Amino acid sequence: MKNRTLGKSGPVISEVGLGCWQLGGDWGDPLSEENGLQILKEAVDQGVSLFDTADVYGGGKSESLIGTFLKTEKRPLTVITKFGRGNGVYPDNYSEKALFSAVENSLKRLGVNSLDLLQLHCVPQNILEDGAIFTWLRNLKNQGMIKNFGASIESIEQGLICMQQEDLLSLQVIFNIFRQRIIKELFPKAIETGTGIIVRLPLASGLLSGAYNSNTTFAENDHRNYNRDGEAFNVGETFAGLEFAKGLNFVNTIKTEFLTDEIPMAQFALRWILDHPAVSCVIPGASKVAQVRSNAQASDLPSLNKKLHQSLVDFYQKDIDQHIRGLY
C-alpha cells in the first residue's frame, strides 16, 4: 500500500482508505458486529490506515464499531468523521452548540480524545456561504477537540466556496470515471491551495465494479433502490447520478473498449482515480473481506497510460456527461 499526505499539512495516510457507511447498517444487508470488525481488520492488514465515517451512519453505529476496533488495534490509524446531516440540524438548524454536542458524542463513540479530521457533511450551500460554521470549527480545533477540519461537498461551486477558508484541510468529493468535470474545474484550485482530496463513490455505488447486470436487484432499504431517481437525497450519491440501465450500458462499453483482461474492473476504476495528482485518498466501501482486499490491491497497480486516460476523458465528454443528474 502506498501512502500520500492529506493536503498541505495533514497526516500521512494510505492512498486507499475504507468508507464505513455500510458498517452503520442503514441500507442493504445488515452487517453483524463480527463481520464489521473482520472488514476493519482486513483493511488494516492490507495497509489501509484511513477510515471514513459519520455520526449519522447507523445513528452512530459505524463510529461505535470503529471505536470497538480501536480498543485493540495498535497500528496507527486516521479516523475521519462528519457532522451536518443529523442531530436535528439539517437543513436549517445549525448552531455552535449543536456542533459541539455532536463532536462530544463522536469522541465518546470512537473512544478518542480528539478527532483526526471533522468534515462538514454536505451541509446546505447557504451555510457554507455564511461562513460562521467555519469559525465554530476553528473554536473546536483551538480547544483540541478536533485536529483538522474539511468538508464533504455535493458540487464544484460548494468546493470553491470552502477553499476560500485557508485552514480547510480537505474536501471530500464524488469522483469516478462517470463524473469527471472536477478534473478541470476543481482540482487545479485544490492543488493551488494545498487542499487534500478524498474521493467517495469511486465505484459509482458498485456500477464500476462490473458486477451488476440488467437482472440485478437491490433490497427495499438499499439506496440503490429507493434513491435511484433522487427520491431521498441528492441523486448524485447513487450511481453517480446516472440512470441505472444507462450506467450498465456505459460499463459494458468500458469492459469491451478500455478494460484489459489483467485488471479486475473495480481495481481499474480505482487506479484511474489514483492517477490524478490532486487526489490524496480514495475511500471505497466494502461489505465483504474479499472486497477490502481487492480494493487495496489497486494501490499496487502501475498507472494507466496517457492514451488510455485521454480515451476515457473523450468517452466521458462525448457520451456520459450529458446524462449525469443531481448537484454537480
Side-chain angles (χ1 to χ4, degrees), residues 21 85 154 223 226-227 229-238:
W21 184 15
R85 299 293 286 197
E154 297 279 14
H223 74 98
Y226 68 76
N227 196 55
D229 296 310
E231 297 91 336
F233 44 82
N234 176 22
V235 69
E237 301 283 354
T238 302

Side-chain angles (χ1 to χ4, degrees), residues 229-281:
D229 296 310
E231 297 91 336
F233 44 82
N234 176 22
V235 69
E237 301 283 354
T238 302
F239 303 131
L242 283 172
E243 190 274 326
F244 183 62
K246 192 169 293 292
L248 288 177
N249 291 335
F250 292 143
V251 167
N252 289 332
T253 299
I254 293 172
K255 285 181 176 179
T256 57
E257 296 187 18
F258 304 107
L259 184 65
T260 62
D261 293 335
E262 295 79 15
I263 306 176
M265 185 162 182
Q267 292 182 16
F268 175 85
L270 294 173
R271 184 65 258 171
W272 179 86
I273 294 170
L274 291 171
D275 284 348
H276 292 81
V279 171
S280 297
C281 182

